[in-house]
């Protein structure tokens, strides 16, 4: 069941590897028997994706295959959804869907008007203009445009065609955000990528409304360059200064009893 984010656990460090910036993830929509881990070191011009068979293999750095993407990536806002990698093509506002099994690009499409190349990154920079994410209801992308003055736009995206289905202007300036992630149709935004960061803002797409929040979380290594929710595992994945870290989340469920309106 879905709910409102009320708390984040202490960080659990899975591994220390790679450079200061990068991303790592598991598939957000596969059977639980599939425990592959994907690993993408660096934030721009990279093409090398490592696929580990299990989390344990990832921890030990063994049993991986390498995918070489036909187009290099920008930023760290990639996501693996139903066997495909969704990412932003370097020096463009083009979204790319790369299918791991066939090792081919299935579709690519421009996000019309979306800033790229550090026009509207998160506070840490790193070409983080375009950020894909997945929650319980599907695939989303966060970005911004000149038309809405650099405020965060969140769009529902068709995972087959990469068409934008619907967009919301959150009113939150993207350059003031550390990172963001979706849970249950709500976009949560942190106010910094550095130590002392907290989850500061929530935008509810179901009501097109927002509120300021105060959900602390421990930024152990003081530089977060990727933060993503995995709805299958109910955890946040983060890349923190060369450490791959997860957080458990606490969601508050409103339970309606019979007779209540």
């Amino acid at each position: 069941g879905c709910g409102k984010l009320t708390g984040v656990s202490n960080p659990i460090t899975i591994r220390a590897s790679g450079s200061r910036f990068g991303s790592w993830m598991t598939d957000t929509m596969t059977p639980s028997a599939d425990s592959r881990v994907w690993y993408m070191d660096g934030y721009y011009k990279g093409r090398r994706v490592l696929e580990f068979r299990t989390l344990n293999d990832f921890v030990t750095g063994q049993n991986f295959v390498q995918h070489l993407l036909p187009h290099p990536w920008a930023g760290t806002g990639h996501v693996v959804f139903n066997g495909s990698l969704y990412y932003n093509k370097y020096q463009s506002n083009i979204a790319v869907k790369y299918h791991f099994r066939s090792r081919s690009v299935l579709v690519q499409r421009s996000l019309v008007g979306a800033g790229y190349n550090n026009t509207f990154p998160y506070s840490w920079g790193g070409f983080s203009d375009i950020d894909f994410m997945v929650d319980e209801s599907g695939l989303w992308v966060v970005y911004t445009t000149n038309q809405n003055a650099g405020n965060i736009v969140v769009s529902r995206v068709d995972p087959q065609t990469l068409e934008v289905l619907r967009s919301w202007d959150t009113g939150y300036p993207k350059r003031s955000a550390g990172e963001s992630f979706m849970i249950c149709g709500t976009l949560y935004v942190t106010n910094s990528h550095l130590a002392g960061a907290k989850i500061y803002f929530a935008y509810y797409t179901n009501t097109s409304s927002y509120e300021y929040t105060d959900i602390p979380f421990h930024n152990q290594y003081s530089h977060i360059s990727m933060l993503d929710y995995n709805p299958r595992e109910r955890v946040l994945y983060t890349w923190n200064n060369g450490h791959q870290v997860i957080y458990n989340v606490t969601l508050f469920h409103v339970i309606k009893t019979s007779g209540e309106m």
Side-chain angles (χ1 to χ4, degrees):
C2 260
K4 184 175 177 177
L5 180 68
T6 57
V8 176
S9 75
N10 279 325
I12 303 153
T13 302
I14 304 299
R15 186 181 174 189
S17 68
S19 64
R20 193 175 188 189
F21 319 96
S23 66
W24 73 294
M25 64 216 87
T26 56
D27 200 319
T28 48
M29 190 191 124
T30 55
S32 55
D34 181 352
S35 58
R36 288 176 295 168
V37 174
W38 285 271
Y39 176 87
M40 299 166 69
D41 189 14
Y43 65 86
Y44 78 114
K45 289 204 292 195
R47 291 177 57 204
R48 202 167 72 112
V49 183
L50 302 186
E51 176 189 309
F52 293 84
R53 201 178 50 182
T54 65
L55 184 64
N56 199 50
D57 287 337
F58 173 67
V59 170
T60 58
Q62 298 172 323
N63 292 326
F64 64 87
V65 294
Q66 177 175 294
H67 300 268
L68 205 58
L69 299 174
H71 311 296
W73 71 70
T76 57
H78 336 296
V79 70
V80 176
F81 178 66
N82 201 21
S84 290
L85 174 73
Y86 295 80
Y87 73 98
N88 174 211
K89 185 177 179 177
Y90 180 56
Q91 288 189 317
S92 76
N93 58 15
I94 292 170
V96 178
K97 177 184 182 181
Y98 175 84
H99 187 241
F100 284 115
R101 187 172 294 155
S102 64
R103 294 180 177 256
S104 63
V105 170
L106 297 185
V107 63
Q108 49 183 322
R109 180 185 289 267
S110 174
L111 278 166
V112 178
Y116 61 95
N117 242 20
N118 276 337
T119 307
F120 300 114
Y122 290 122
S123 59
W124 64 274
F127 299 88
S128 58
D129 305 70
I130 294 171
D131 189 3
F132 290 93
M133 45 193 77
V134 171
D135 73 352
E136 289 76 3
S137 60
L139 181 67
W140 304 79
V141 63
V142 159
Y143 56 98
T144 188
T145 68
N146 284 316
Q147 283 81 358
N148 60 353
N151 292 330
I152 289 176
V153 176
V154 56
S155 295
R156 277 290 306 271
V157 178
D158 183 322
Q160 305 304 322
T161 64
L162 294 179
E163 278 182 276
V164 169
L165 304 173
R166 187 177 167 191
S167 296
W168 292 260
D169 182 348
T170 66
Y172 194 97
K174 187 157 183 288
R175 283 180 167 274
S176 301
E179 269 286 343
S180 65
F181 56 91
M182 295 291 297
I183 300 180
C184 298
T186 300
L187 181 75
Y188 294 96
V189 181
T190 70
N191 62 346
S192 171
H193 61 283
L194 301 170
K198 61 186 179 181
I199 298 161
Y200 180 69
F201 179 86
Y203 187 88
Y204 304 99
T205 60
N206 60 340
T207 55
S208 301
S209 63
Y210 69 88
E211 67 175 343
Y212 289 94
T213 57
D214 186 3
I215 303 170
F217 70 104
H218 182 36
N219 183 350
Q220 187 170 0
Y221 305 107
S222 305
H223 195 291
I224 286 176
S225 60
M226 168 246 165
L227 183 61
D228 255 342
Y229 174 66
N230 186 310
R232 182 171 67 120
E233 300 168 5
R234 292 258 169 113
V235 299
L236 295 171
Y237 278 71
T238 179
W239 187 292
N240 194 338
N241 219 343
H243 298 79
Q244 292 75 50
V245 178
I246 60 173
Y247 297 87
N248 291 305
V249 298
T250 304
L251 303 181
F252 176 72
H253 305 280
V254 178
I255 297 169
K256 288 190 167 67
T257 58
S258 57
E260 269 192 312
M261 288 304 285

